[in-house]
């Protein structure tokens, strides 16, 4: 094992890698609770999502461990799960159709992993749009958290308003939120998971939570009959592109960031990048057939790197722990049914995703406005795809009228034109 993962060359040990794997797992374990809670709101059976979440995490993380050999964990990504639910609600389609869009995005991602077009696409899209997309998703999922907790409620005059703080679920959400914020501020490992557990205990004594058990054999699951034809009949091309684009950017950015932190970058290049991206693409594709939204590399992997994780052995430990979690479905099912458990996580993760805004050149208007347009439209339209489309239309247009047309990669003009045609003549319905 030491030789396979080159532990000596990387300056690490088996013990260090195991500790790093456990640390990473504890910081991202919330996904096996939050993901089923979010997707079950779209009608997807809870047990199906629970199994699919763990299966895609295990598959993706194992590929990362054994082939890419990096200390990076893969699991269904936050933001994409919330977007999945909104597509079902706003477009009036079945979740089988939306899983069809995830499957197509996964296949495209897999194909792009073997071509140079992936690098071309990544490099052609300006930083302001990338940061705008990430931040827009952050606001989007934070808003969902506020809404599910009753902190923000519908209002016929102003569209939204402040909720009733006397509601038990709202009170518990605020308790859980502030408790988790304190744990994070104190730099406690696994802060979000610990915060959820304490919130669950408080919720139990408030009578908001009931347990039918803690441990049980893994639930059975079946492969979905994906409605790929429905993707085309409902014109969900932008949704496919949104899943693909966000997954590529999120995964690539996270992988590079964690690799730099671990000192694994060589001459500015990410070693075995093809296998690393393949891990995400395969997890997304397989996950769609089992019942979960797109997968992504987890920034929480940086916590494992911080305690010494440097090799694929860290990821291997994470994959093993996800398998163990299969036997705790009754516990996960109970606590995920209480929105006060998941809402604080959505709000906090939304905050983390705003970091890139500091890197946007706000003094250059033709850079700032497209990013602003994305950030504004994503939460207000409840559509990540619409936000991306607006950004891809306004950016080349702003540069063109500013006399900076040559600064824009030709592929952006192509995408901008396609998005205009799609929004005008082929709107999703």
């Amino acid at each position: 094992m030491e030789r396979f993962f080159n532990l000596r060359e990387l300056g690490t040990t088996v013990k260090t890698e195991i500790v790093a794997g456990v640390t990473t797992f504890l910081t991202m374990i919330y996904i096996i609770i939050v993901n089923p809670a979010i997707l079950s709101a779209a009608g997807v059976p809870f047990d199906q999502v629970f199994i699919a979440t763990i299966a895609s995490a295990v598959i993706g993380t194992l590929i990362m461990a054994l082939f890419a050999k990096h200390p990076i964990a893969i699991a269904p990504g936050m933001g994409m799960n919330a977007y999945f639910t909104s597509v079902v609600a706003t477009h009036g389609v079945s979740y089988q159709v939306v899983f069809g869009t995830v499957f197509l995005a996964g296949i495209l991602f897999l194909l792009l992993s073997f071509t140079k077009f992936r690098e071309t696409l990544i490099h052609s899209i300006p930083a302001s749009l990338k940061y705008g997309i990430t931040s827009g998703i952050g606001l989007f999922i934070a808003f969902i958290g506020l809404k599910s907790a009753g902190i923000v409620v519908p209002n016929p005059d102003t569209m939204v308003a402040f909720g009733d703080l006397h509601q038990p679920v709202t009170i518990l959400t605020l308790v859980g939120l502030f408790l988790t914020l304190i744990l994070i501020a104190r730099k406690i490992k696994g802060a979000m998971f610990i915060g959820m557990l304490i919130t669950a205990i408080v919720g139990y004594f408030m009578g908001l939570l009931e347990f039918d058990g803690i441990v049980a054999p893994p639930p059975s699951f079946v492969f979905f009959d994906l409605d790929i034809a429905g993707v085309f009949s409902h014109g969900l091309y932008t949704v496919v592109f949104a899943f693909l684009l966000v997954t590529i950017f999120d995964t690539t950015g996270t992988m590079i960031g964690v690799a730099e932190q671990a000192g694994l970058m060589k001459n500015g290049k990410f070693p075995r990048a093809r296998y690393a991206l393949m891990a995400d693409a395969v997890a997304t594709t397989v996950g769609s057939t089992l019942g979960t939204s797109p997968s992504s590399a987890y920034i929480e992997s940086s916590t494992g790197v911080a305690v010494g994780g440097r090799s694929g052995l860290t990821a291997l430990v994470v994959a093993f722990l996800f398998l163990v979690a299969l036997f705790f479905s009754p516990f996960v099912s109970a606590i995920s049914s209480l929105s006060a458990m998941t809402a604080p996580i959505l709000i906090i993760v939304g905050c983390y995703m705003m970091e890139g805004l500091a890197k946007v050149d706000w003094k250059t208007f033709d850079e700032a406005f497209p990013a602003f347009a994305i950030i504004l439209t994503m939460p207000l339209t409840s559509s990540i795809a619409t936000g991306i489309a607006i950004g891809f239309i306004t950016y080349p247009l702003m540069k063109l009228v500013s006399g900076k047309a040559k600064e824009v990669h030709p592929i952006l003009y192509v995408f901008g034109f396609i998005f205009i045609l799609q929004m005008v003549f082929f709107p999703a319905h």
Side-chain angles (χ1 to χ4, degrees), residues 1 5 7 13-15 17-18 21 65 69-71 310-318:
M1 183 174 293
F5 289 110
L7 300 187
T13 64
V14 172
K15 180 181 178 180
E17 294 293 302
I18 292 175
K69 299 183 180 180
H70 292 306
R310 293 294 181 272
S311 77
L313 182 54
T314 294
L316 186 63
V317 172
V318 174

Side-chain angles (χ1 to χ4, degrees), residues 180-204:
T180 307
L181 289 174
I182 291 171
L183 293 172
I184 292 174
R186 299 298 301 171
K187 302 186 185 302
I188 304 298
K189 294 177 182 177
M192 287 194 282
F193 182 63
I194 295 172
M196 292 180 76
L197 285 181
I198 297 177
T199 304
I201 294 172
V202 176
Y204 178 78

Side-chain angles (χ1 to χ4, degrees), residues 180 211 307:
T180 307
F211 291 99
V307 297

